[in-house]
Short mmCIF file of all heavy atoms in Angstrom, two decimals:
data_model
loop_
_atom_site.label_atom_id
_atom_site.label_comp_id
_atom_site.label_asym_id
_atom_site.label_seq_id
_atom_site.Cartn_x
_atom_site.Cartn_y
_atom_site.Cartn_z
N VAL R 147 43.91 -67.15 89.71
CA VAL R 147 43.30 -67.98 90.72
C VAL R 147 42.31 -67.16 91.60
O VAL R 147 42.65 -66.00 91.78
CB VAL R 147 44.41 -68.60 91.71
CG1 VAL R 147 45.23 -69.58 90.91
CG2 VAL R 147 45.17 -67.56 92.28
N SER R 148 41.29 -67.76 92.14
CA SER R 148 40.42 -66.92 93.04
C SER R 148 41.09 -66.70 94.22
O SER R 148 41.96 -67.40 94.87
CB SER R 148 39.18 -67.75 93.37
OG SER R 148 39.58 -69.15 93.89
N GLU R 149 40.94 -65.53 94.74
CA GLU R 149 41.67 -65.00 95.98
C GLU R 149 41.23 -65.79 97.28
O GLU R 149 42.03 -65.91 98.24
CB GLU R 149 41.60 -63.57 96.19
CG GLU R 149 40.27 -63.01 96.39
CD GLU R 149 40.28 -61.48 96.64
OE1 GLU R 149 41.40 -60.89 96.34
OE2 GLU R 149 39.24 -60.81 97.01
N ILE R 150 40.05 -66.39 97.09
CA ILE R 150 39.59 -67.35 98.26
C ILE R 150 39.60 -68.67 97.55
O ILE R 150 39.00 -68.97 96.50
CB ILE R 150 38.20 -67.03 98.70
CG1 ILE R 150 38.03 -65.60 98.97
CG2 ILE R 150 37.76 -67.98 99.82
CD1 ILE R 150 38.65 -65.10 100.15
N GLY R 151 40.42 -69.53 98.18
CA GLY R 151 40.45 -70.88 97.65
C GLY R 151 39.89 -72.01 98.66
O GLY R 151 39.27 -71.62 99.58
N LEU R 152 40.10 -73.18 98.27
CA LEU R 152 39.62 -74.37 98.94
C LEU R 152 40.75 -75.30 99.37
O LEU R 152 41.56 -75.94 98.59
CB LEU R 152 38.65 -75.21 98.08
CG LEU R 152 38.23 -76.57 98.51
CD1 LEU R 152 37.54 -76.60 99.87
CD2 LEU R 152 37.28 -77.32 97.55
N GLY R 153 40.95 -75.34 100.83
CA GLY R 153 41.93 -76.22 101.36
C GLY R 153 41.12 -77.47 101.80
O GLY R 153 40.09 -77.43 102.54
N GLY R 154 41.50 -78.57 101.22
CA GLY R 154 40.60 -79.77 101.28
C GLY R 154 40.66 -80.62 102.60
O GLY R 154 39.92 -81.58 102.64
N GLU R 155 41.49 -80.28 103.52
CA GLU R 155 41.68 -81.15 104.61
C GLU R 155 40.44 -81.35 105.43
O GLU R 155 40.30 -82.56 105.92
CB GLU R 155 42.83 -80.50 105.57
CG GLU R 155 43.22 -81.41 106.73
CD GLU R 155 44.27 -80.82 107.52
OE1 GLU R 155 44.77 -79.74 107.22
OE2 GLU R 155 44.67 -81.43 108.53
N TRP R 156 39.69 -80.42 105.63
CA TRP R 156 38.46 -80.57 106.43
C TRP R 156 37.36 -81.49 105.86
O TRP R 156 36.53 -82.04 106.53
CB TRP R 156 37.82 -79.36 106.83
CG TRP R 156 38.44 -78.57 107.81
CD1 TRP R 156 39.78 -78.73 108.42
CD2 TRP R 156 38.07 -77.38 108.54
NE1 TRP R 156 40.13 -77.90 109.23
CE2 TRP R 156 39.13 -76.97 109.42
CE3 TRP R 156 36.98 -76.58 108.44
CZ2 TRP R 156 39.04 -75.78 110.17
CZ3 TRP R 156 36.80 -75.49 109.19
CH2 TRP R 156 37.86 -75.14 110.18
N LEU R 157 37.53 -81.76 104.62
CA LEU R 157 36.64 -82.71 103.92
C LEU R 157 36.84 -84.02 104.18
O LEU R 157 35.79 -84.78 103.96
CB LEU R 157 36.81 -82.39 102.25
CG LEU R 157 36.57 -80.99 101.77
CD1 LEU R 157 36.91 -81.07 100.27
CD2 LEU R 157 35.15 -80.55 102.02
N GLU R 158 37.85 -84.43 104.95
CA GLU R 158 38.00 -85.71 105.45
C GLU R 158 36.93 -86.15 106.40
O GLU R 158 36.65 -87.37 106.55
CB GLU R 158 39.32 -86.02 106.09
CG GLU R 158 40.56 -85.83 105.13
CD GLU R 158 41.97 -86.03 105.94
OE1 GLU R 158 41.80 -85.93 107.17
OE2 GLU R 158 42.91 -86.41 105.25
N ARG R 159 36.26 -85.20 106.91
CA ARG R 159 35.29 -85.55 107.97
C ARG R 159 33.89 -85.93 107.39
O ARG R 159 33.02 -86.33 108.06
CB ARG R 159 34.91 -84.30 108.81
CG ARG R 159 36.34 -83.75 109.48
CD ARG R 159 36.02 -82.45 110.15
NE ARG R 159 37.18 -81.69 110.69
CZ ARG R 159 37.17 -80.55 111.34
NH1 ARG R 159 36.01 -80.07 111.60
NH2 ARG R 159 38.33 -79.94 111.72
N HIS R 160 33.83 -85.88 106.07
CA HIS R 160 32.54 -86.06 105.48
C HIS R 160 32.46 -87.14 104.39
O HIS R 160 33.64 -87.56 103.84
CB HIS R 160 31.99 -84.84 104.64
CG HIS R 160 31.98 -83.62 105.66
ND1 HIS R 160 30.90 -83.53 106.63
CD2 HIS R 160 32.69 -82.49 105.77
CE1 HIS R 160 31.10 -82.35 107.35
NE2 HIS R 160 32.15 -81.77 106.90
N GLY R 161 31.35 -87.65 104.07
CA GLY R 161 31.13 -88.70 103.15
C GLY R 161 31.00 -87.98 101.77
O GLY R 161 31.07 -86.80 101.68
N ARG R 162 30.87 -88.98 100.68
CA ARG R 162 31.04 -88.40 99.41
C ARG R 162 29.81 -87.34 99.11
O ARG R 162 30.31 -86.34 98.54
CB ARG R 162 30.89 -89.58 98.36
CG ARG R 162 30.71 -89.12 96.88
CD ARG R 162 31.01 -90.19 95.97
NE ARG R 162 32.46 -90.69 96.07
CZ ARG R 162 32.98 -91.49 95.24
NH1 ARG R 162 32.34 -91.86 94.04
NH2 ARG R 162 34.14 -91.91 95.32
N ASP R 163 28.64 -87.56 99.41
CA ASP R 163 27.58 -86.62 99.03
C ASP R 163 27.91 -85.30 99.54
O ASP R 163 27.65 -84.31 98.83
CB ASP R 163 26.20 -87.20 99.62
CG ASP R 163 25.75 -88.35 98.92
OD1 ASP R 163 26.35 -88.69 97.75
OD2 ASP R 163 24.81 -88.97 99.33
N GLU R 164 28.34 -85.22 100.84
CA GLU R 164 28.63 -83.86 101.50
C GLU R 164 29.80 -83.15 100.86
O GLU R 164 29.84 -81.94 100.67
CB GLU R 164 28.68 -84.00 103.02
CG GLU R 164 28.92 -82.73 103.67
CD GLU R 164 27.61 -81.88 103.67
OE1 GLU R 164 26.56 -82.35 103.31
OE2 GLU R 164 27.71 -80.50 104.04
N VAL R 165 30.88 -83.99 100.58
CA VAL R 165 31.98 -83.40 99.89
C VAL R 165 31.61 -82.91 98.50
O VAL R 165 32.06 -81.74 98.13
CB VAL R 165 33.11 -84.52 99.77
CG1 VAL R 165 34.28 -84.00 98.82
CG2 VAL R 165 33.67 -84.91 101.02
N VAL R 166 30.85 -83.60 97.75
CA VAL R 166 30.41 -83.05 96.47
C VAL R 166 29.54 -81.82 96.66
O VAL R 166 29.76 -80.93 95.84
CB VAL R 166 29.57 -84.25 95.80
CG1 VAL R 166 28.84 -83.60 94.52
CG2 VAL R 166 30.33 -85.32 95.33
N ARG R 167 28.79 -81.72 97.63
CA ARG R 167 27.92 -80.52 97.86
C ARG R 167 28.80 -79.30 98.11
O ARG R 167 28.64 -78.27 97.54
CB ARG R 167 26.94 -80.84 98.99
CG ARG R 167 25.64 -81.42 98.50
CD ARG R 167 24.53 -81.30 99.57
NE ARG R 167 24.98 -81.99 100.81
CZ ARG R 167 24.57 -83.34 101.01
NH1 ARG R 167 23.95 -83.93 100.07
NH2 ARG R 167 24.91 -83.93 102.07
N ILE R 168 29.69 -79.60 99.02
CA ILE R 168 30.61 -78.41 99.35
C ILE R 168 31.55 -77.99 98.31
O ILE R 168 31.71 -76.84 98.02
CB ILE R 168 31.50 -78.85 100.67
CG1 ILE R 168 30.58 -79.04 101.81
CG2 ILE R 168 32.49 -77.74 100.84
CD1 ILE R 168 31.32 -79.57 103.17
N VAL R 169 32.16 -78.94 97.53
CA VAL R 169 32.99 -78.46 96.50
C VAL R 169 32.35 -77.79 95.37
O VAL R 169 32.71 -76.77 94.79
CB VAL R 169 33.75 -79.81 95.90
CG1 VAL R 169 34.60 -79.48 94.71
CG2 VAL R 169 34.69 -80.45 97.07
N ARG R 170 31.20 -78.35 95.02
CA ARG R 170 30.36 -77.68 93.99
C ARG R 170 29.82 -76.32 94.40
O ARG R 170 29.69 -75.41 93.61
CB ARG R 170 29.27 -78.56 93.48
CG ARG R 170 29.92 -79.82 92.77
CD ARG R 170 28.86 -80.69 92.10
NE ARG R 170 29.54 -81.83 91.39
CZ ARG R 170 28.80 -82.85 90.81
NH1 ARG R 170 27.49 -82.90 90.90
NH2 ARG R 170 29.46 -83.77 90.18
N TYR R 171 29.56 -76.24 95.72
CA TYR R 171 29.11 -74.92 96.32
C TYR R 171 30.25 -73.87 96.14
O TYR R 171 30.10 -72.72 95.76
CB TYR R 171 28.66 -75.02 97.71
CG TYR R 171 27.98 -73.88 98.21
CD1 TYR R 171 26.75 -73.34 97.69
CD2 TYR R 171 28.55 -73.18 99.32
CE1 TYR R 171 26.17 -72.25 98.16
CE2 TYR R 171 27.89 -71.93 99.86
CZ TYR R 171 26.68 -71.60 99.25
OH TYR R 171 26.05 -70.42 99.80
N CYS R 172 31.42 -74.39 96.42
CA CYS R 172 32.70 -73.54 96.28
C CYS R 172 32.66 -73.03 94.71
O CYS R 172 32.90 -71.79 94.54
CB CYS R 172 33.85 -74.24 96.64
SG CYS R 172 34.14 -74.53 98.33
N GLU R 173 32.57 -74.02 93.81
CA GLU R 173 32.63 -73.52 92.46
C GLU R 173 31.55 -72.55 92.08
O GLU R 173 31.76 -71.61 91.33
CB GLU R 173 32.48 -74.80 91.54
CG GLU R 173 32.59 -74.49 90.11
CD GLU R 173 32.46 -75.75 89.27
OE1 GLU R 173 32.55 -76.85 89.82
OE2 GLU R 173 32.19 -75.62 88.07
N GLU R 174 30.39 -72.70 92.61
CA GLU R 174 29.30 -71.68 92.46
C GLU R 174 29.69 -70.30 92.91
O GLU R 174 29.24 -69.34 92.37
CB GLU R 174 28.03 -72.14 93.04
CG GLU R 174 27.23 -73.35 92.54
CD GLU R 174 26.12 -73.72 93.36
OE1 GLU R 174 25.56 -72.94 94.20
OE2 GLU R 174 25.69 -74.88 93.31
N LYS R 175 30.40 -70.24 93.92
CA LYS R 175 30.80 -69.05 94.56
C LYS R 175 32.02 -68.43 93.96
O LYS R 175 32.56 -67.33 94.21
CB LYS R 175 31.10 -69.16 96.10
CG LYS R 175 29.86 -69.57 96.82
CD LYS R 175 28.81 -68.37 96.81
CE LYS R 175 27.64 -68.77 97.68
NZ LYS R 175 26.69 -67.67 97.66
N GLY R 176 32.48 -69.16 92.88
CA GLY R 176 33.65 -68.60 92.14
C GLY R 176 35.02 -69.09 92.45
O GLY R 176 36.05 -68.54 91.89
N ILE R 177 35.10 -70.00 93.51
CA ILE R 177 36.39 -70.56 93.92
C ILE R 177 36.93 -71.51 92.71
O ILE R 177 36.18 -72.39 92.38
CB ILE R 177 36.27 -71.21 95.19
CG1 ILE R 177 35.89 -70.29 96.35
CG2 ILE R 177 37.45 -72.05 95.62
CD1 ILE R 177 35.47 -70.90 97.65
N ASN R 178 38.12 -71.37 92.39
CA ASN R 178 38.69 -72.10 91.36
C ASN R 178 39.92 -72.92 91.63
O ASN R 178 40.56 -73.49 90.82
CB ASN R 178 38.79 -71.37 90.00
CG ASN R 178 39.92 -70.41 90.04
OD1 ASN R 178 40.62 -70.20 91.05
ND2 ASN R 178 40.30 -69.98 88.77
N ILE R 179 40.49 -72.77 92.87
CA ILE R 179 41.78 -73.30 93.23
C ILE R 179 41.54 -74.21 94.44
O ILE R 179 40.91 -73.83 95.45
CB ILE R 179 42.89 -72.27 93.55
CG1 ILE R 179 44.15 -73.07 93.86
CG2 ILE R 179 42.51 -71.22 94.59
CD1 ILE R 179 45.39 -72.16 93.82
N LEU R 180 42.16 -75.40 94.28
CA LEU R 180 41.94 -76.43 95.29
C LEU R 180 43.29 -76.99 95.76
O LEU R 180 44.09 -77.47 94.84
CB LEU R 180 41.03 -77.57 94.78
CG LEU R 180 41.08 -78.98 95.35
CD1 LEU R 180 40.36 -78.90 96.78
CD2 LEU R 180 40.36 -79.89 94.52
N ASP R 181 43.47 -77.14 97.05
CA ASP R 181 44.71 -77.79 97.64
C ASP R 181 44.36 -79.17 98.00
O ASP R 181 43.48 -79.42 98.84
CB ASP R 181 45.30 -77.08 98.67
CG ASP R 181 46.63 -77.64 99.19
OD1 ASP R 181 47.63 -77.49 98.49
OD2 ASP R 181 46.58 -78.32 100.19
N CYS R 182 45.04 -80.19 97.50
CA CYS R 182 44.64 -81.59 97.81
C CYS R 182 45.93 -82.29 98.22
O CYS R 182 46.66 -82.70 97.36
CB CYS R 182 44.00 -82.20 96.52
SG CYS R 182 43.37 -83.91 96.89
N TRP R 183 46.08 -82.51 99.54
CA TRP R 183 47.18 -83.33 100.02
C TRP R 183 46.73 -84.36 101.05
O TRP R 183 47.48 -85.30 101.39
CB TRP R 183 48.30 -82.45 100.78
CG TRP R 183 47.87 -81.97 102.14
CD1 TRP R 183 47.22 -80.80 102.37
CD2 TRP R 183 47.85 -82.60 103.40
NE1 TRP R 183 47.02 -80.71 103.75
CE2 TRP R 183 47.37 -81.81 104.25
CE3 TRP R 183 48.47 -83.81 103.78
CZ2 TRP R 183 47.36 -82.24 105.65
CZ3 TRP R 183 48.46 -84.20 105.00
CH2 TRP R 183 47.87 -83.28 105.92
N MET R 184 45.51 -84.20 101.49
CA MET R 184 45.04 -84.92 102.73
C MET R 184 45.39 -86.32 102.82
O MET R 184 45.78 -87.05 101.89
CB MET R 184 43.48 -84.74 102.82
CG MET R 184 43.03 -83.37 102.79
SD MET R 184 42.96 -82.65 101.19
CE MET R 184 41.82 -83.77 100.43
#
């Protein structure tokens, strides 16, 4: 796992387009672990 991960809770504040941009930007930066409970 990447030592920097993605906690998805803050993504609730955004619409689909912005969520897609942020998640894919994380992937570009090498992040590969995502926590999804929101």
Side-chain angles (χ1 to χ4, degrees):
V147 298
S148 55
E149 61 181 9
I150 310 295
L152 166 58
E155 183 176 2
W156 285 10
L157 297 177
E158 290 183 345
R159 307 174 187 182
H160 301 288
R162 174 165 296 194
D163 289 347
E164 185 65 11
V165 169
V166 169
R167 278 194 293 270
I168 292 173
V169 173
R170 292 186 179 174
Y171 190 64
C172 287
E173 185 180 345
E174 289 176 19
K175 294 296 182 179
I177 294 171
N178 76 341
I179 181 168
L180 160 70
D181 183 78
C182 185
W183 74 267
M184 301 78 64

